[in-house]
Amino acid sequence: MSKRWMIFLGTLIFTIVSDQYTKVLAVEHVKGKAATIYLNDLFRLVYAENSGAFLGLGSDLPVVWRTAIFSVAVSIFLLGFAVFIFRKKDMSTLGNVASALVIG
C-alpha cells in the first residue's frame, strides 16, 4: 500500500472513530443534563440531536425514507469524491489529509 493510501486511510479511520467516540461520550455524560456554562457564558455545552441531515434537512420524512435517501446520496457523493481524489496524482499530503477529513 502506498504512503498516500496509508495517510488517507489512517486519517479517515481516525476521524470516523473520533466522531463516533465523542457521540458516545455526549450521550453518556451530557444527555439529559442542564447546560454547562464556561467562561462567564462564553461557551455553553448542551446536548442536542439532529434527526435530519444538514440543518435538519429531511427531518420531517419518515425514518425509512430519510435513511434511504441520505444513505444513497451520501454514498454516491463519497464514492465520487474518493475517485476524484485518487485520480489526482499531484495532491499534496495536506490535501490528502484534508480530503480524508471531509469524507470522514
Side-chain angles (χ1 to χ4, degrees):
M1 187 178 287
S2 71
K3 178 183 173 188
R4 184 173 177 212
W5 272 102
M6 297 284 284
I7 291 171
F8 180 81
L9 289 176
T11 304
L12 181 64
I13 291 167
F14 176 78
T15 303
I16 293 169
V17 169
S18 298
D19 174 63
Q20 294 303 308
Y21 182 64
T22 56
K23 288 177 182 175
V24 168
L25 289 176
V27 169
E28 288 178 0
H29 299 287
V30 183
K31 186 176 183 178
K33 296 183 180 173
T36 306
I37 297 168
Y38 298 97
L39 297 175
N40 198 25
D41 209 17
L42 180 63
F43 298 103
R44 190 179 290 215
L45 183 63
V46 180
Y47 182 83
E49 288 187 18
N50 179 5
S51 61
F54 176 70
L55 297 176
L57 179 68
S59 60
D60 295 334
L61 293 172
V63 174
V64 174
W65 279 100
R66 185 173 56 231
T67 303
I69 290 170
F70 292 123
S71 293
V72 170
V74 169
S75 296
I76 290 170
F77 168 77
L78 294 179
L79 182 62
F81 192 60
V83 167
F84 169 76
I85 290 165
F86 284 97
R87 292 193 75 188
K88 194 169 171 60
K89 300 291 183 199
D90 61 340
M91 185 176 291
S92 68
T93 301
L94 184 59
N96 201 9
V97 169
S99 298
L101 290 171
V102 168
I103 290 175

